[in-house]
Every structure is written in structure tokens, then in C-alpha cells.
Amino acid sequence: MSARERSSTIVVVMGVSGSGKTTIARSLAERLGVTYSEADEFHPPENIAKMESGVPLNDEDRLPWLRSIAAWISEQERADVSGVVTCSALKRSYRDLLRTGNDGVWFLHLAGSREVISDRLAGRTGHFMPASLLDSQFADLEPLESDEVGYTADVSEDAEVIVDRSLAALKAAGRREADLT
Ligand SMILES: Nc1ncnc2c1ncn2[C@@H]1O[C@H](COP(=O)(O)OP(=O)(O)O)[C@@H](O)[C@H]1O
Ligand SMILES: O=C(O)[C@H](O)[C@@H](O)[C@H](O)[C@H](O)COP(=O)(O)O
């Protein structure tokens, strides 16, 4: 389907662990009135166990996980349904995999300093991801590039401000869902 024919949008909320993906994605999905999905639920159990034990995932570990998320996105697009999904999508090659064949993908990168994000992880409880993996997340991170469709938000802002700015960026990009908010 060409960009002109495309009508649904899938917002992929990306960034390192603790950047606010879950917080922002939930709120964005609610404001847009669209379906929401959490990337952590697509990990095979061995990936979760690996992260829990303090070992970062590598490209090989992430491949089946990214393929499952891409399949979810394709399903929404085939049904012409819009949605929001969290996915760290740290590397450009991961994002290429997610957008290939999925014309409606629009990335929202939650970008911030190691200091701010590490403070937030220190305050988060009940999550399998250890804060000790944050350095490896930053080492893998390749920020959203200028030719990639989407928007980069500053995580030091309040969540409501990030959501408002993201909705404005979606609207500026001509995505119909944002007109309804
Ligand atoms: N913009 C924000 N301002 C302040 N705290 C935030 C913001 N976004 C997220 N948080 C808090 O930071 C922590 C990590 O956010 P979370 O949504 O779990 O990130 P991720 O899903 O990327 O790991 C949570 O405790 C959350 O409440
Ligand atoms: O690619 C990865 O290394 C993981 O997907 C990782 O980026 C993700 O962040 C974890 O699943 C932790 O979950 P949170 O991002 O929700 O902290």
C-alpha cells in the first residue's frame, strides 16, 4: 500500500529502558482512542530470564521478538486499525525490520540523559529489568535519524507535555487519528 493510500497509523514508542515508553504509550493510546500493546509481552521467556539475570540481549535474542512485533503491526495494518506499541527499537536495523512492509509505522523516540533515566529506574519497582542494564541500553541506542518518519521527545518534560507534543507532531504529519483528539 502506498503512503497516499495508507490510512492507519501505528505509533512505535521507542527508547531505552526507563525512558517512559509504557507511561507515554498508554496515555497516547487513550487520547487517540486506539489499541495499545506492550513489547515486553512479545519476549520469549528466555529473553526475560536473561535480562532478569543482568545480561543484556544481543541481536540474535532480539530478532524473534522484533519479528513478532512486526507481525502484530502488520495485522493491525491489514485490518486498517491504528494502534500504539512500546518497543525499545534501539538500533536503526531493528526499526527497519519493524517498518518494512508496514507503511503506517511512525516512531516516537523518548530521548533523555542517562542521569534522568537512571533516577527514574531507581524509583521504579516490580519490573524484571535491572537498572544495571541501562549502560548496555545506551551503548546499543542509535537515535532516530532525520530520514526516519517520527518525532523525538525530551523525557525531562512532564508526561502530559510529551503526549501533547507528540499528538501535535502526529497531526503535523497528517495522521488522521490526531485530528480526532
Ligand atoms: N515524563 C515523565 N516524568 C516523570 N516520570 C516519568 C515520566 N515518564 C515515565 N516516568 C516514570 O519513570 C519510570 C519509568 O517509566 P516507564 O514508563 O516504566 O518506562 P519504560 O516503559 O520505557 O521502561 C516509571 O516509574 C514512570 O512512572
Ligand atoms: O531490547 C531490549 O534490550 C529489551 O527489549 C529492553 O530494551 C526492554 O527495555 C526490556 O524489555 C525492559 O523493559 P522496559 O523497557 O519496559 O524497561
Side-chain angles (χ1 to χ4, degrees), residues 17-18 21-22 38 40 43 51 57 62 65 88 90 124 127-129 137:
S17 179
K21 299 183 295 294
T22 300
E38 175 66 53
D40 286 344
H43 273 303
M51 290 186 275
L57 300 182
R62 287 176 179 136
W65 170 69
S88 48
L90 298 176
R124 183 172 77 171
H127 196 288
F128 65 85
M129 186 74 166
Q137 295 262 300

Side-chain angles (χ1 to χ4, degrees), residues 107-127:
F107 286 96
L108 170 58
H109 180 192
L110 302 178
S113 70
R114 195 198 170 288
E115 289 65 36
V116 168
I117 293 175
S118 142
D119 277 357
R120 288 192 186 156
L121 275 179
R124 183 172 77 171
T125 53
H127 196 288

Side-chain angles (χ1 to χ4, degrees), residues 4-147:
R4 273 171 65 83
E5 289 165 331
R6 176 194 46 69
S7 46
S8 64
T9 291
I10 304 295
V11 178
V12 178
V13 183
M14 60 164 282
V16 298
S17 179
S19 58
K21 299 183 295 294
T22 300
T23 307
I24 300 302
R26 279 197 183 133
S27 167
L28 200 56
E30 197 177 310
R31 291 276 298 275
L32 289 166
V34 301
T35 183
Y36 157 72
S37 190
E38 175 66 53
D40 286 344
E41 284 167 21
F42 291 84
H43 273 303
E46 51 275 22
N47 279 5
I48 302 282
K50 196 171 179 183
M51 290 186 275
E52 236 165 1
S53 72
V55 180
L57 300 182
N58 57 33
D59 288 355
E60 203 185 320
D61 299 320
R62 287 176 179 136
L63 189 59
W65 170 69
L66 289 163
R67 283 188 175 141
S68 317
I69 297 168
W72 182 85
I73 294 173
S74 300
E75 230 174 84
Q76 311 309 306
E77 292 207 353
R78 268 197 304 276
D80 196 21
V81 168
S82 291
V84 179
V85 60
T86 61
C87 176
S88 48
L90 298 176
K91 298 186 185 181
R92 167 91 194 213
S93 61
Y94 302 168
R95 298 192 291 276
D96 287 343
L97 190 152
L98 295 176
R99 76 184 132 227
T100 299
N102 294 327
D103 290 334
V105 168
W106 191 89
F107 286 96
L108 170 58
H109 180 192
L110 302 178
S113 70
R114 195 198 170 288
E115 289 65 36
V116 168
I117 293 175
S118 142
D119 277 357
R120 288 192 186 156
L121 275 179
R124 183 172 77 171
T125 53
H127 196 288
F128 65 85
M129 186 74 166
S132 59
L133 284 184
L134 188 57
D135 285 338
S136 71
Q137 295 262 300
F138 272 104
D140 279 352
L141 177 66
E142 295 169 2
L144 203 57
E145 296 181 71
S146 57
D147 66 321

